[in-house]
Amino acid sequence: MDPSGPVQQLLSQGEKCVSAADAYLVQGRARVSRVAALVETETAFGPNFGFFMFGTKRMPVQGSDLTLVTVIPVKEDFAVEVIDDPSQDLLGSDVPVKVCGSGQVLTLNLPFGSKSGNFLTALRRAISIYTSQPPAEVFQPFAWLEKYELMTATADRSDWPWSGTGLDAMAAEIVTEGFEDNFADSLSFDDAASLASQQDLGDSEADGSGLEPVNVSRGGSASTMGSMMANPPSVREPIVKMYMLKEEAKYTHLKTFRIFAGTWNVNGQPATESLKAWLAKDSTPPDLYAVGFQELDLSKEAFVFNDSAREEEWVKAVTHGLHPEASYRRVRLIRLVGMMLLVFVRSEHNKFLSQIEAQTVGTGIMGKMGNKGGVAIRFDFHNTSFCIVNSHLAAHTEHYERRNQDYSDICARMQFNLTQPPLTIHKHNVVLWVGDLNYRLSDIEISEVKALIEKEMFWALMEHDQLKRQMNERSVFKDFKEASVNFIPTYKYDPGTDDWDTSEKCRVPAWCDRVLCKGDSVSAVEYRSHRELKLSDHKPVSCLFDIGVKVIDEDNYKRVFEEVIRKLDKLENEFLPSVSLSCVDLKFERIKFLEPQKKTISITNTGQVPCQFEFICKLDEKEYCKPWLNVQPSLGFIMPGDSYPIELEIYVDKNTAGRLNSGEDSLEDILVLHLDGGKDYFVTVQGDFIPSCFGSSIEALCNMRGPIREVPVARLVDLEAGSPSETSPEDSFSTLPIPKEIWLLVDHLYKHALCQEDLFQQPGLHSEIEEIRDCLDTGMPDTIPGQPHSVAECLLMFLDSLPEPVVPHQYYQSCLDSCTRFELCEQLMSQVPEHHRNVFKYLTAFLRELLKYQDDNKRDPKMLAMIFGGLLLKPKPDEAKRQNNQQTARRRATFIYQFQVNPYDG
């Protein structure tokens, strides 16, 4: 397993683990297991790097298993040298490396293979970047390392209790008086070795297996001392884990724990009410809390920058609202705009949590904006994997298909990377899904709804519930369960009261706020709403669950573990790994822009031993596949006789469409499948790409009279290269002032959507966007299909996919510098090439027209400026990361805003 993920858990915000590798620290004749990592952060002078070395307690490595022992800044005295050692010349031997810096000299042995080679390449690149930067002068570029150096200097290096949420977050995770921080139990490396030496190994020595003393840890994994593993730890440990999972029934038993799962849409209100009536209503304190919020913050700053002043106050409110008869630790917090999820666990259970990870998925416009979407936290509790999801799906009664789409997008895109292969939501033993799912009551009048509520005939109302209907049709939440709903609808109320909505819209009451579950041994104890809390137009909801968790019996675990190790030793001494592939030549037909296609091949272990496979980079290439191709999983382990499905997906997006349209790239690739201890296999991937106006340049489109699919490929390549063919029959017409595709989209919105609420903020439907794309690529339609939101999102996607933005890259910095003075902005635009200037003029004229209808469409000029600023003004791709900050985003928006509020005729 790649140790980069566990290292990343321990870093502060803004710091990135660039590369990491398993290693042995050589001290005389002794070799000690270590993890070496290169960590990067951004400073005022550019990228800044540090070399980190961690002690490990077990394999596969988890964040809580790493102990920081060495930090060396990558600066002028830092050097890396591969040692010329004749004893290591044998192919497959470890690579001896000397690392020097800050007065330290370390000798490491890196396992032979591509991962170690990539790590050394990353170190050399970091040295090169440092030497190319200007002198730091007074600025201290390595100040960010001081907190780590202090820890290694003042702490027992063999035993530091790392938090799983970042080193800076250790203090922030302390949850007021009566609560403890989320530190995993720590066992020092020396203590572990001592403990291992005292274990009774039974007859392991007598049978000649060579089994070394081990310290068996929680979660079905074990740490190794000495050379127990014949293969490198990163290879054999996951295989051991797979064997252990097959034998899980022999060393685990079910124990029931009570879990509270709650959700509340707080409508952007401050935390002015005590939450005890929601969180601490029962006499028995839960073992674990999962608390989800939606619309935590409705401000523009939250929407655009994911920055919220409300987060801290609501975290405090939850902390003070937890059950007073137990002590809790905060496990993790994750927030995306207004969606926030918190997980707390009783202090005595904290040591049994591991593999904690949080992820987010935005399903707002262009699949980026986080006003809708989901956040999730996953963890292992004892030997059971949990995934908690909090989501806010699309609003309005008629948009149930968009809610279904949001759910599908969250499931498809939510991925947890601490394990190999990565986990998705549905790959967990237990899934709890909370949130404002926004499903409404259909085909029933509001008067009848209220009458049935008065009679408490909730079962009759449930026949009109969109979520129940969609679940029954298996369109969403397949295999999920929901407890019986025996409480009145949770939406919509007049804030501060228990009165139904009396606003002009007079919303029909509905159960928007839900708690669903999936998994074995999960039973709902009580499902209810909490009407005592009145500050929002929603009521909070909670469900208590009794969940059977697989708890490890340590003695049985040790016995099974030793049996597995002896079995593996015997097999590895007698057999070599071998596999067969179901297909080695894949052909994809008619690949279109933003329309993924998938094919699956199977790898079957035809040998007698477990084996590891991995797709590896070809010579002189940095990635194992081209950017339009995705392979899942790219790394895996297969037991003898088992087959493993590998999914290959071709997906052409804004980053790859331009090169395919211009002929610079083609849908052809060869994958190298490496079998550890065996041979390499080759898989050929080919596809036919259908050219699209999406990803084509403004200049090329202005030189096309007809649709792009009628243009010969050779002609298209010439147009993208800026050299139209002299013999083309289209040369007789003058170029178009702007691409006809932009005109069609904007003209449709001008005619049909000037008064549409939430335009350019609410996403469209995938199916309609694909229909619009085909319509633009194949002809000049009389009308554009789809709802206004789909057309609006299509326009944004078109602008986002341009190889050269509307304001060309060369003018980007000048535009930012002049953004506060309209006369300078106008002067700059006069220098932009004609076709780009025409498009800019046309789009800003449309925005000015749109803002004339603010009373109807509720569009805010600054919000529109933010959205279009990020599309019309872009830095070069290699500078995008450095330019991605709030200050730059505001300057881009200010530039566009100037043309929204001032007359401009180009």
Side-chain angles (χ1 to χ4, degrees):
M1 174 180 170
D2 185 356
S4 299
V7 171
Q8 185 65 52
Q9 290 183 70
L10 307 179
L11 303 178
S12 303
Q13 186 174 3
E15 298 169 2
K16 175 186 176 183
C17 179
V18 177
S19 183
D22 298 316
Y24 292 100
L25 177 64
V26 180
Q27 298 172 318
R29 298 180 62 184
R31 298 200 323 164
V32 184
S33 293
R34 290 287 184 259
V35 168
L38 178 66
V39 177
E40 176 185 4
T41 192
E42 281 289 329
T43 70
F45 295 90
N48 205 225
F49 298 89
F51 174 87
F52 287 46
M53 191 165 66
F54 300 86
T56 64
K57 291 192 299 186
R58 59 177 173 178
M59 293 291 182
V61 173
Q62 301 174 10
S64 57
D65 300 325
L66 296 175
T67 303
L68 185 63
V69 293
T70 301
V71 177
I72 304 176
V74 178
K75 52 183 182 179
E76 58 271 6
D77 63 344
F78 184 83
V80 179
E81 176 189 356
V82 176
I83 303 171
D84 185 13
D85 184 352
S87 67
Q88 300 287 347
D89 283 347
L90 183 64
L91 182 64
S93 299
D94 287 349
V95 180
V97 176
K98 182 181 292 185
V99 178
C100 309
S102 298
Q104 301 186 62
V105 178
L106 307 174
T107 301
L108 303 176
N109 279 353
L110 301 179
F112 178 83
S114 59
K115 284 188 174 64
S116 297
N118 292 340
F119 179 67
L120 290 173
T121 300
L123 288 177
R124 293 180 179 122
R125 174 179 169 272
I127 295 171
S128 175
I129 290 175
Y130 177 84
T131 57
S132 68
Q133 292 175 349
E137 300 177 348
V138 180
F139 180 74
Q140 297 295 321
F142 293 98
W144 65 283
L145 291 177
E146 291 177 357
K147 58 182 178 291
Y148 300 119
E149 292 168 339
L150 179 63
M151 292 173 181
T152 62
T154 60
D156 176 359
R157 293 188 176 194
S158 65
D159 187 13
W160 189 272
W162 300 99
S163 163
T165 56
L167 303 180
D168 275 350
M170 289 198 295
E173 289 287 330
I174 298 174
V175 189
T176 71
E177 186 174 354
F179 295 83
E180 301 170 59
D181 197 9
N182 179 35
F183 293 147
D185 282 0
S186 296
L187 178 68
S188 73
F189 189 88
D190 294 335
D191 289 343
S194 174
L195 178 63
S197 68
Q198 298 172 22
Q199 290 181 352
D200 179 10
L201 297 180
D203 59 357
S204 62
E205 294 182 29
D207 68 13
S209 66
L211 179 65
E212 292 288 324
V214 299
N215 171 39
V216 181
S217 305
R218 296 186 304 275
S221 60
S223 76
T224 61
M225 302 299 159
S227 56
M228 182 191 79
M229 300 300 183
N231 290 326
S234 60
V235 174
R236 193 173 185 186
E237 284 290 355
I239 297 174
V240 173
K241 188 173 183 179
M242 291 181 68
Y243 267 107
M244 294 300 293
L245 287 174
K246 281 181 173 285
E247 304 293 334
E248 190 177 47
K250 295 181 180 180
Y251 60 83
T252 63
H253 63 275
L254 285 183
K255 182 178 179 180
T256 300
F257 293 87
R258 179 151 294 185
I259 294 180
F260 174 103
T263 177
W264 193 11
N265 182 321
V266 296
N267 193 32
Q269 300 300 312
T272 56
E273 291 183 321
S274 170
L275 304 186
K276 288 189 179 295
W278 176 32
L279 303 177
K281 192 177 182 69
D282 302 286
S283 57
T284 303
D287 296 293
L288 186 143
Y289 278 97
V291 184
F293 292 95
Q294 307 84 40
E295 294 190 3
L296 194 79
D297 193 331
L298 299 177
S299 68
K300 297 181 183 66
E301 289 74 19
F303 177 74
V304 177
F305 300 119
N306 195 26
D307 185 19
S308 174
R310 295 266 190 241
E311 177 181 312
E312 183 178 355
E313 62 181 277
W314 277 104
V315 171
K316 289 181 178 178
V318 172
T319 298
H320 292 301
L322 300 179
H323 206 291
E325 294 184 15
S327 172
Y328 291 89
R329 298 179 183 180
R330 194 171 85 195
V331 175
R332 195 68 187 266
L333 177 157
I334 184 70
R335 183 179 60 80
L336 176 65
V337 187
M339 292 172 287
M340 182 170 74
L341 178 61
L342 292 146
V343 173
F344 292 83
V345 67
R346 289 181 65 158
S347 299
E348 62 266 32
H349 300 321
N350 184 69
K351 62 184 178 181
F352 298 108
L353 265 69
S354 62
Q355 295 284 80
I356 302 162
E357 185 178 356
Q359 292 292 346
T360 68
V361 169
T363 61
I365 192 120
M366 297 172 65
K368 296 179 181 179
M369 296 297 186
N371 55 317
K372 294 294 188 288
V375 297
I377 297 172
R378 66 90 52 213
F379 54 87
D380 291 342
F381 184 33
H382 289 278
N383 224 46
T384 296
S385 60
F386 281 76
C387 183
I388 316 292
V389 184
N390 171 35
S391 68
H392 192 189
L393 308 185
H396 305 302
T397 302
E398 66 275 15
H399 291 159
Y400 69 89
E401 289 182 327
R402 189 169 285 118
R403 289 186 273 282
N404 294 355
Q405 177 179 292
D406 287 349
Y407 165 79
S408 298
D409 285 349
I410 293 169
C411 291
R413 293 165 51 199
M414 189 77 74
Q415 184 169 283
F416 304 96
N417 300 308
L418 279 181
T419 60
Q420 286 293 338
L423 290 176
T424 59
I425 291 172
H426 298 295
K427 294 294 185 180
H428 291 78
N429 300 134
V430 176
V431 181
L432 301 180
W433 195 304
V434 306
D436 179 0
L437 306 187
N438 251 324
Y439 287 94
R440 311 298 175 90
L441 298 177
S442 296
D443 309 319
I444 187 171
E445 295 296 326
I446 187 170
S447 57
E448 187 178 354
V449 170
K450 291 182 177 179
L452 291 172
I453 291 172
E454 286 293 325
K455 298 176 184 178
E456 296 187 355
M457 296 176 64
F458 305 131
W459 58 269
L461 284 174
M462 274 290 145
E463 294 178 0
H464 299 271
D465 180 71
Q466 291 177 339
L467 177 58
K468 289 295 184 187
R469 289 180 175 180
Q470 296 302 304
M471 290 178 68
N472 290 339
E473 294 174 8
R474 301 180 74 78
S475 298
V476 292
F477 293 102
K478 182 181 177 182
D479 298 328
F480 279 84
K481 297 179 291 184
E482 183 182 27
S484 297
V485 176
N486 294 313
F487 50 87
I488 71 172
T490 57
Y491 175 85
K492 177 179 184 180
Y493 295 86
D494 289 338
T497 75
D498 289 326
D499 300 329
W500 297 117
D501 180 26
T502 59
S503 70
E504 181 181 349
K505 294 182 179 179
C506 197
R507 302 285 192 191
V508 177
W511 286 281
C512 291
D513 311 281
R514 312 291 273 265
V515 179
L516 307 176
C517 65
K518 179 183 178 184
D520 298 328
S521 303
V522 179
S523 60
V525 178
E526 187 158 8
Y527 191 24
R528 58 199 171 189
S529 68
H530 301 264
R531 301 188 68 200
E532 305 93 322
L533 282 78
K534 306 179 188 296
L535 65 83
S536 175
D537 56 354
H538 291 249
K539 299 297 183 183
V541 171
S542 69
C543 190
L544 285 177
F545 293 100
D546 280 343
I547 298 180
V549 173
K550 292 175 285 189
V551 176
I552 292 175
D553 180 289
E554 295 290 347
D555 291 336
N556 288 338
Y557 181 91
K558 295 173 186 176
R559 176 178 54 79
V560 174
F561 181 84
E562 291 170 4
E563 291 173 357
V564 167
I565 294 299
R566 284 194 289 269
K567 181 178 180 179
L568 277 178
D569 285 341
K570 182 177 180 181
L571 289 172
E572 289 179 352
N573 287 332
E574 296 178 1
F575 301 99
L576 293 175
S578 64
V579 300
S580 65
L581 280 71
S582 62
C583 179
V584 294
D585 190 3
L586 284 85
K587 177 71 174 179
F588 291 78
E589 305 289 344
R590 295 185 61 79
I591 301 297
K592 298 180 180 180
F593 179 77
L594 290 187
E595 192 171 317
Q597 279 194 32
K598 298 179 181 180
K599 289 184 180 291
T600 301
I601 63 173
S602 294
I603 304 178
T604 301
N605 187 341
T606 56
Q608 303 298 313
V609 292
C611 62
Q612 171 185 290
F613 68 85
E614 181 180 10
F615 289 94
I616 61 173
C617 299
K618 298 180 282 292
L619 188 65
D620 298 329
E621 294 189 9
K622 296 181 180 179
E623 303 292 340
Y624 67 85
C625 68
K626 289 189 176 181
W628 42 260
L629 180 62
N630 183 42
V631 181
Q632 288 295 338
S634 61
L635 168 71
F637 308 89
I638 317 177
M639 303 297 284
D642 287 352
S643 294
Y644 208 116
I646 306 296
E647 186 177 83
L648 294 93
E649 177 186 79
I650 292 183
Y651 183 63
V652 177
D653 60 10
K654 65 172 185 177
N655 299 314
T656 54
R659 289 175 55 83
L660 292 169
N661 279 332
S662 66
E664 296 176 72
D665 194 9
S666 61
L667 294 182
E668 295 181 353
D669 200 3
I670 298 175
L671 303 176
V672 181
L673 179 68
H674 175 69
L675 193 65
D676 189 80
K679 66 177 184 178
D680 291 343
Y681 299 79
F682 300 92
V683 179
T684 302
V685 180
Q686 293 179 307
D688 295 325
F689 177 64
I690 308 300
S692 175
C693 59
F694 290 83
S696 297
S697 67
I698 288 176
E699 290 80 2
L701 292 171
C702 286
N703 278 281
M704 294 182 204
R705 173 66 71 181
I708 192 169
R709 292 198 192 164
E710 294 181 2
V711 179
V713 174
R715 163 77 168 158
L716 186 60
V717 170
D718 287 342
L719 289 174
E720 289 292 352
S723 55
S725 169
E726 295 181 0
T727 61
S728 170
E730 294 193 0
D731 287 342
S732 58
F733 83 90
S734 58
T735 60
L736 300 169
I738 65 172
K740 56 190 175 300
E741 294 80 6
I742 293 179
W743 178 83
L744 284 166
L745 293 170
V746 173
D747 185 65
H748 181 88
L749 294 173
Y750 176 78
K751 291 176 179 177
H752 304 288
L754 289 178
C755 297
Q756 176 69 55
E757 285 191 35
D758 297 330
L759 197 68
F760 297 116
Q761 185 170 339
Q762 184 169 312
L765 287 172
H766 292 341
S767 57
E768 292 182 352
I769 291 171
E770 290 174 1
E771 190 178 357
I772 295 168
R773 175 207 60 205
D774 286 345
C775 186
L776 296 175
D777 285 344
T778 57
M780 288 283 288
D782 294 330
T783 181
I784 296 289
Q787 301 173 14
H789 293 300
S790 298
V791 179
E793 183 170 9
C794 229
L795 174 62
L796 298 183
M797 291 167 58
F798 186 95
L799 298 173
D800 195 36
S801 68
L802 290 170
E804 182 85 16
V806 174
V807 179
H809 294 308
Q810 68 186 87
Y811 301 96
Y812 174 78
Q813 190 59 49
S814 298
C815 290
L816 297 187
D817 295 339
S818 62
C819 66
T820 58
R821 296 178 59 187
F822 177 65
E823 61 273 18
L824 292 180
C825 297
E826 193 174 22
Q827 182 180 347
L828 261 175
M829 288 308 302
S830 68
Q831 303 170 27
V832 169
E834 180 183 4
H835 290 131
H836 287 255
R837 185 170 65 252
N838 290 341
V839 172
F840 185 86
K841 176 183 175 181
Y842 187 59
L843 291 171
T844 53
F846 170 68
L847 293 179
R848 289 194 298 273
E849 191 67 24
L850 186 65
L851 291 171
K852 292 179 182 179
Y853 297 85
Q854 276 182 271
D855 292 342
D856 297 314
N857 59 40
K858 314 300 182 189
R859 293 293 74 208
D860 178 78
K862 293 183 179 179
M863 181 68 74
L864 285 175
M866 283 287 185
I867 293 171
F868 280 86
L871 298 172
L872 306 186
L873 273 173
K874 289 183 179 182
K876 293 180 179 179
D878 57 350
E879 299 174 0
K881 182 178 178 181
R882 195 171 298 185
Q883 295 280 354
N884 187 21
N885 56 65
Q886 289 190 20
Q887 181 182 3
T888 303
R890 292 183 191 278
R891 293 167 72 189
R892 287 198 297 253
T894 302
F895 183 86
I896 300 301
Y897 184 78
Q898 296 283 3
F899 293 90
Q900 289 180 175
V901 298
N902 292 294
Y904 172 65
D905 60 7

